[in-house]
Amino acid sequence: MAVLTVNDLCKTFGAGTARSNRVLDHISFDVRGQTFVSVVGPSGCGKSTLLNIISGVETHTSGDVSVTSDEGRPARLGYVFQDPRLLPWRTVRKNMLYVQDKDDDQARRRVSTYLDMVGLGQHGDFFPGQLSGGMQQRVGIARAFAVEPDLLIMDEPFSHLDAITARGLRAQLQDIWAQSRKTVVFVTHDVVEAVELSDRIIVLQPGGRIFEDIPIDLPRPRRQSDPAVATLQAEVLARLEKMKAITPQAATAV
Amino acid sequence: MARPVIEAPPTTPAGTWLEGEELARRAAARTRRKRLALLVAGWAAMLGIWQVAAYYLPFGTLPNPLEVSVEMWEIVASGALVSDFLASVLKTFAGFGVAVLIGAPVGYLMGRYGYWRAFFLDGVTVAGTIPALTYAVLSLIIFGLSNLGPVLAVALVSTPYVALNVAEGIRGVDQNLVKMSQAFGRSPQQIRREVFIPTIVPYLFAAVRMSFAVAWKVEALTEVFGGTNGVGFQIRTRYQLFDITGVIAWMALFIVFMLLIERLLLRKLEQRVLAWRPEERAAR
Ligand SMILES: Nc1ncnc2c1ncn2[C@@H]1O[C@H](COP(=O)(O)OP(=O)(O)OP(=O)(O)O)[C@@H](O)[C@H]1O
Ligand SMILES: [Mg+2]
């Protein structure tokens, strides 16, 4: 069953004014439960806008977006942002409890479980300022998983980290995802990252249309050293090159 | 003649590092000793001038430092210090309490909403520039001979500080944290409690520390004229008895203890509440 349905979605900033800017143009796609979908595309093609509309932070001009939960209750969403966005005056554990709906034993157990999964089981009582940037980002990831979201939204969660830290976190994200199987929409600039993590890659083109919807059928866990991964990465990159050739505005980005 | 590198005398890096450590420690100790010597010299000079002045001024006008110290000791030993000092401190903090209760919401509104800022800004700024003495007099007129006068004076002096600092703090709130909270479906009350209030607490402390320097003087002054207990009241009583030694002794004790409160109590409390800040941890 589809957890996320986006149907004929359009978004125009400043509609009806001189600075009217169409960012998303008749976008339709479904995301089935327990799949990991990446959205890639050049800077400014509307990826963050799409996520903001899905999460309800941004309004849309026309079309429908719906997130369904399995038990008929309101859908729960989880977020991982580009930066950790932790409350500096709360410990790691309190930060994670802050976004839980109830502060009960179950919530505490979830928090501990996911802290362990990101390798910070010993750091629950630390303040964010006592952790490195990579560790803080891991707390951000654990926090989002620990709300047991129906849909988990991630907007370039590794783009502020150095390459080595980012690689470690990607491997960790794969492991956590393999265990929890949350439905994820993951935005990134990085095709290599998208191929490593996703079941499916949606390529947005400038002007906000879907250029391509590429299934990634590779066994997990995937490692950079695996030739099959590298081959597919090269192929997806080649297709993006093709998009740049067709849509000249994209040539400056990706 | 080229000497083989391998025969170079082995200098252990640990040795040189320890030597460096030792040198740095000695330099720091020297600086500390110098600073202490200057401090002592300053006090000696001050007491010396006082002693000389007491000697040359007409007999009985100015008691010498020794007489004052004896008197101070008697005040401490008699237990009068504790009760009157406590009375003054309680009145000061009651005044702060009132200032926070009024100033914090006003500052919150000013920081959050442009309209309220426009509404309050001039009033708060003017209130902040009125001399503290005016507030002392105003409080005396309102309450006459009462313990409420000093409380009101402290509240009047401190409220503008609190309001302006809180307004500043609210404008420093990290909007990304607000967005994060909204994305995770937190209620406005939760966002206020977990994001806004923790952001303004350091500003609140700054306001209290800044206004404390003025507040305790105003408190004592108001007590001198209208108090029924407290340090200022004691100073007035001694003055009416022409007991200059007693006046100076009470004044000195008051200064010492207020400085202690400012330096130790407020600072420690701040360190505790703001323990999450890296700079607070480094200072401990
Ligand atoms: N609040 C806004 N008001 C007006 N225009 C906006 C607003 N937010 C985004 N835009 C415009 O929408 C377009 C898409 O922005 P968006 O942030 O979605 O891009 P993106 O694909 O996430 O880019 P990046 O990869 O650089 O993060 C941009 O042209 C931007 O100028
Ligand atoms: Mg973006």
Side-chain angles (χ1 to χ4, degrees):
Chain A
M1 199 186 80
V3 166
L4 170 66
T5 314
V6 176
N7 187 22
D8 214 21
L9 181 71
C10 294
K11 172 69 183 179
T12 306
F13 281 110
T17 68
R19 266 194 275 156
S20 156
N21 177 11
R22 167 144 295 196
V23 176
L24 296 174
D25 193 6
H26 299 285
I27 301 261
S28 298
F29 66 95
D30 285 350
V31 176
R32 279 189 301 119
Q34 309 201 321
T35 49
F36 194 119
V37 175
S38 286
V39 177
V40 302
S43 187
C45 69
K47 304 183 293 295
S48 296
T49 306
L50 176 63
L51 291 192
N52 290 342
I53 291 172
I54 292 172
S55 63
V57 177
E58 185 76 71
T59 59
H60 53 283
T61 314
S62 66
D64 302 303
V65 174
S66 69
V67 183
T68 48
S69 69
D70 24 305
E71 298 133 29
R73 56 173 166 71
R76 238 189 337 256
L77 303 189
Y79 296 82
V80 181
F81 306 91
Q82 224 164 350
D83 40 355
R85 302 206 183 170
L86 303 174
L87 306 173
W89 38 82
R90 290 275 178 254
T91 60
V92 164
R93 197 184 311 281
K94 293 263 177 64
N95 259 287
M96 292 178 65
L97 284 170
Y98 170 52
V99 299
Q100 296 284 330
D101 283 331
K102 272 190 287 198
D103 181 357
D104 54 10
D105 283 348
Q106 282 181 349
R108 283 160 196 275
R109 247 195 315 277
R110 278 199 301 274
V111 165
S112 298
T113 307
Y114 283 103
L115 261 185
D116 283 337
M117 277 199 209
V118 297
L120 293 174
Q122 306 301 314
H123 293 79
D125 296 322
F126 281 54
F127 287 103
Q130 293 169 297
L131 304 180
S132 72
M135 289 159 99
Q136 291 181 28
Q137 195 63 356
R138 269 143 72 188
V139 175
I141 292 171
R143 173 177 64 185
F145 272 99
V147 302
E148 300 266 294
D150 299 297
L151 180 66
L152 178 51
I153 292 175
M154 306 174 104
D155 192 354
E156 304 193 40
F158 306 134
S159 62
H160 279 180
L161 302 171
D162 65 89
I164 294 171
T165 310
R167 188 192 298 173
L169 260 62
R170 270 199 293 275
Q172 222 163 34
L173 177 60
Q174 273 202 66
D175 293 344
I176 298 172
W177 186 78
Q179 288 176 55
S180 66
R181 288 272 166 176
K182 295 290 163 216
T183 311
V184 177
V185 177
F186 182 96
V187 159
T188 177
H189 274 113
D190 182 347
V191 173
V192 172
E193 173 175 276
V195 171
E196 187 184 332
L197 294 170
S198 326
D199 298 314
R200 189 176 147 200
I201 299 177
I202 294 173
V203 182
L204 280 190
Q205 68 186 48
R209 291 208 189 140
I210 294 181
F211 177 75
E212 239 181 324
D213 195 334
I214 309 170
I216 307 292
D217 264 327
L218 288 174
R220 292 172 187 273
R222 298 170 187 163
R223 294 296 173 226
Q224 279 299 308
S225 46
D226 185 345
V229 174
T231 312
L232 202 51
Q233 283 167 341
E235 190 190 321
V236 174
L237 271 172
R239 293 207 216 174
L240 279 173
E241 291 298 324
K242 202 176 78 193
M243 175 180 85
K244 287 184 202 171
I246 303 169
T247 55
Q249 312 103 291
T252 50
V254 178
Chain B
M1 191 189 79
R3 203 188 282 160
V5 174
I6 202 140
E7 277 183 15
T11 54
T12 62
T16 48
W17 180 73
L18 279 176
E19 274 165 34
E21 262 307 75
E22 181 56 31
L23 280 177
R25 201 168 27 241
R26 268 192 240 140
R30 249 196 324 275
T31 317
R32 257 201 310 278
R33 273 200 301 276
K34 258 190 225 158
R35 201 177 297 152
L36 192 67
L38 283 173
L39 192 76
V40 170
W43 277 96
M46 203 168 73
L47 292 174
I49 292 171
W50 181 359
Q51 179 74 46
V52 170
Y55 186 80
Y56 282 106
L57 285 174
F59 181 76
T61 328
L62 184 64
N64 69 37
L66 187 66
E67 288 166 341
V68 171
S69 338
V70 170
E71 181 67 34
M72 279 166 77
W73 173 246
E74 272 167 16
I75 293 170
V76 174
S78 74
L81 177 75
V82 178
S83 57
D84 283 285
F85 186 72
L86 209 62
S88 292
V89 169
L90 285 181
K91 279 182 256 180
T92 309
F93 279 92
F96 278 145
V98 174
V100 170
L101 281 181
I102 297 169
V106 168
Y108 182 85
L109 290 174
M110 283 173 71
R112 242 20 262 239
Y113 309 104
Y115 291 114
W116 284 110
R117 184 176 176 73
F119 181 79
F120 282 120
L121 186 63
D122 287 343
V124 172
T125 312
V126 168
T129 48
I130 290 175
L133 187 62
T134 316
Y135 287 130
V137 172
L138 194 68
S139 307
L140 285 169
I141 292 170
I142 294 175
F143 284 115
L145 210 63
S146 152
N147 282 333
L148 290 177
V151 175
L152 178 67
V154 171
L156 287 172
V157 165
S158 313
T159 304
Y161 281 99
V162 171
L164 288 174
N165 267 284
V166 168
E168 201 55 45
I170 292 289
R171 279 187 294 164
V173 165
D174 183 352
Q175 286 306 316
N176 279 339
L177 290 181
V178 176
K179 284 192 199 130
M180 178 277 291
S181 303
Q182 286 166 341
F184 278 102
R186 299 302 89 189
S187 67
Q189 293 91 295
Q190 280 176 307
I191 297 176
R192 195 174 312 137
R193 201 177 57 231
E194 295 289 325
V195 180
F196 278 80
I197 293 187
T199 306
I200 61 178
V201 165
Y203 290 86
L204 214 52
F205 267 110
V208 167
R209 256 195 301 132
M210 267 161 39
S211 58
F212 189 79
V214 185
W216 64 265
K217 291 171 201 144
V218 174
E219 196 275 336
L221 186 70
T222 318
E223 267 178 4
V224 166
F225 293 106
T228 57
N229 61 11
V231 176
F233 169 76
Q234 287 291 348
I235 291 175
R236 179 181 72 212
T237 314
R238 298 301 182 105
Y239 176 77
Q240 284 164 347
L241 299 170
F242 300 109
D243 176 5
I244 306 296
T245 316
V247 169
I248 296 181
W250 272 105
M251 259 163 50
L253 281 172
F254 190 49
I255 290 170
V256 167
F257 275 82
M258 280 304 183
L259 285 179
L260 283 181
I261 286 197
E262 192 173 337
R263 296 280 153 81
L264 299 181
L265 193 82
L266 287 181
R267 190 76 202 118
K268 281 278 172 301
L269 192 66
E270 187 169 0
Q271 273 170 5
R272 256 190 101 91
V273 176
L274 304 181
W276 57 271
R277 296 210 293 195
E279 59 266 36
E280 299 294 337
R281 280 198 305 276
R284 263 191 287 178

Short mmCIF file of all heavy atoms in Angstrom, two decimals, chain A residues 13 21 23 42-50 58 156 189, ligand 1:
data_model
loop_
_atom_site.label_atom_id
_atom_site.label_comp_id
_atom_site.label_asym_id
_atom_site.label_seq_id
_atom_site.Cartn_x
_atom_site.Cartn_y
_atom_site.Cartn_z
N PHE A 13 5.59 29.87 -6.40
CA PHE A 13 5.84 30.91 -5.40
C PHE A 13 5.44 32.25 -5.98
O PHE A 13 5.71 32.53 -7.15
CB PHE A 13 7.34 30.95 -5.02
CG PHE A 13 7.74 29.88 -4.05
CD1 PHE A 13 8.55 28.83 -4.46
CD2 PHE A 13 7.32 29.91 -2.72
CE1 PHE A 13 8.94 27.84 -3.56
CE2 PHE A 13 7.70 28.94 -1.83
CZ PHE A 13 8.51 27.89 -2.25
N ASN A 21 7.00 32.26 -9.65
CA ASN A 21 8.06 31.29 -9.93
C ASN A 21 7.52 29.87 -9.76
O ASN A 21 7.24 29.45 -8.64
CB ASN A 21 9.22 31.57 -8.95
CG ASN A 21 10.36 30.57 -9.09
OD1 ASN A 21 10.39 29.81 -10.05
ND2 ASN A 21 11.27 30.58 -8.14
N VAL A 23 7.83 26.24 -9.28
CA VAL A 23 8.91 25.40 -8.76
C VAL A 23 8.62 23.92 -8.98
O VAL A 23 9.51 23.13 -9.27
CB VAL A 23 9.15 25.70 -7.27
CG1 VAL A 23 10.20 24.78 -6.70
CG2 VAL A 23 9.58 27.14 -7.10
N PRO A 42 19.32 18.94 -9.69
CA PRO A 42 20.22 20.09 -9.51
C PRO A 42 19.68 21.06 -8.47
O PRO A 42 18.50 21.04 -8.15
CB PRO A 42 20.26 20.73 -10.90
CG PRO A 42 19.04 20.22 -11.59
CD PRO A 42 18.76 18.87 -11.04
N SER A 43 20.55 21.89 -7.98
CA SER A 43 20.18 22.87 -6.97
C SER A 43 19.08 23.78 -7.49
O SER A 43 19.12 24.21 -8.63
CB SER A 43 21.42 23.71 -6.62
OG SER A 43 21.14 24.54 -5.54
N GLY A 44 18.08 24.01 -6.65
CA GLY A 44 17.02 24.93 -7.03
C GLY A 44 15.89 24.30 -7.82
O GLY A 44 14.98 25.00 -8.25
N CYS A 45 15.92 22.97 -8.00
CA CYS A 45 14.87 22.35 -8.80
C CYS A 45 13.63 22.04 -7.96
O CYS A 45 12.65 21.53 -8.49
CB CYS A 45 15.38 21.09 -9.47
SG CYS A 45 15.70 19.76 -8.32
N GLY A 46 13.66 22.36 -6.69
CA GLY A 46 12.43 22.24 -5.90
C GLY A 46 12.39 21.04 -4.96
O GLY A 46 11.32 20.68 -4.46
N LYS A 47 13.52 20.44 -4.66
CA LYS A 47 13.53 19.26 -3.79
C LYS A 47 13.08 19.61 -2.38
O LYS A 47 12.19 18.93 -1.82
CB LYS A 47 14.95 18.65 -3.74
CG LYS A 47 15.53 18.31 -5.10
CD LYS A 47 16.88 17.64 -5.00
CE LYS A 47 17.99 18.54 -4.45
NZ LYS A 47 18.31 19.68 -5.34
N SER A 48 13.68 20.63 -1.82
CA SER A 48 13.29 21.01 -0.45
C SER A 48 11.84 21.47 -0.42
O SER A 48 11.10 21.17 0.53
CB SER A 48 14.19 22.12 0.08
OG SER A 48 15.51 21.66 0.19
N THR A 49 11.43 22.17 -1.45
CA THR A 49 10.04 22.63 -1.51
C THR A 49 9.10 21.42 -1.49
O THR A 49 8.10 21.42 -0.77
CB THR A 49 9.82 23.46 -2.79
OG1 THR A 49 10.78 24.50 -2.82
CG2 THR A 49 8.43 24.05 -2.82
N LEU A 50 9.44 20.39 -2.26
CA LEU A 50 8.62 19.17 -2.29
C LEU A 50 8.50 18.57 -0.88
O LEU A 50 7.41 18.25 -0.42
CB LEU A 50 9.25 18.17 -3.26
CG LEU A 50 8.58 16.80 -3.36
CD1 LEU A 50 7.16 16.94 -3.88
CD2 LEU A 50 9.39 15.87 -4.27
N GLU A 58 4.86 23.87 4.10
CA GLU A 58 4.65 24.76 2.96
C GLU A 58 3.31 24.42 2.31
O GLU A 58 2.91 23.24 2.30
CB GLU A 58 5.81 24.53 1.97
CG GLU A 58 5.84 25.45 0.79
CD GLU A 58 6.34 26.83 1.17
OE1 GLU A 58 7.54 26.97 1.44
OE2 GLU A 58 5.50 27.75 1.20
N GLU A 156 19.10 16.17 2.56
CA GLU A 156 20.57 16.26 2.48
C GLU A 156 21.23 16.13 3.86
O GLU A 156 21.99 17.01 4.26
CB GLU A 156 20.99 17.58 1.84
CG GLU A 156 20.35 17.78 0.48
CD GLU A 156 20.99 18.92 -0.29
OE1 GLU A 156 22.23 19.03 -0.22
OE2 GLU A 156 20.28 19.67 -0.95
N HIS A 189 21.97 15.70 -3.39
CA HIS A 189 22.62 16.12 -4.64
C HIS A 189 23.44 15.00 -5.21
O HIS A 189 23.91 15.07 -6.33
CB HIS A 189 23.63 17.22 -4.32
CG HIS A 189 23.05 18.58 -4.29
ND1 HIS A 189 22.96 19.31 -3.15
CD2 HIS A 189 22.51 19.33 -5.27
CE1 HIS A 189 22.41 20.46 -3.43
NE2 HIS A 189 22.12 20.50 -4.70
N1 LIG C 1 9.84 30.76 0.50
C1 LIG C 1 10.15 30.93 -0.80
N2 LIG C 1 9.69 32.01 -1.48
C2 LIG C 1 9.99 32.18 -2.79
N3 LIG C 1 10.71 31.32 -3.51
C3 LIG C 1 11.18 30.23 -2.91
C4 LIG C 1 10.93 29.98 -1.53
N4 LIG C 1 11.55 28.81 -1.18
C5 LIG C 1 12.15 28.38 -2.30
N5 LIG C 1 11.93 29.21 -3.33
C6 LIG C 1 12.42 29.03 -4.70
O1 LIG C 1 12.06 27.74 -5.10
C7 LIG C 1 13.08 27.16 -5.89
C8 LIG C 1 13.40 25.78 -5.37
O2 LIG C 1 13.93 25.88 -4.06
P1 LIG C 1 14.29 24.59 -3.23
O3 LIG C 1 14.83 25.05 -1.92
O4 LIG C 1 13.14 23.69 -3.20
O5 LIG C 1 15.46 23.96 -4.10
P2 LIG C 1 16.32 22.66 -3.81
O6 LIG C 1 16.09 21.73 -4.94
O7 LIG C 1 16.07 22.16 -2.46
O8 LIG C 1 17.79 23.24 -3.92
P3 LIG C 1 19.09 22.81 -3.12
O9 LIG C 1 19.52 21.54 -3.71
O10 LIG C 1 20.04 23.92 -3.42
O11 LIG C 1 18.72 22.70 -1.68
C9 LIG C 1 14.24 28.12 -5.87
O12 LIG C 1 14.27 28.79 -7.09
C10 LIG C 1 13.92 29.08 -4.76
O13 LIG C 1 14.36 30.36 -5.11
#
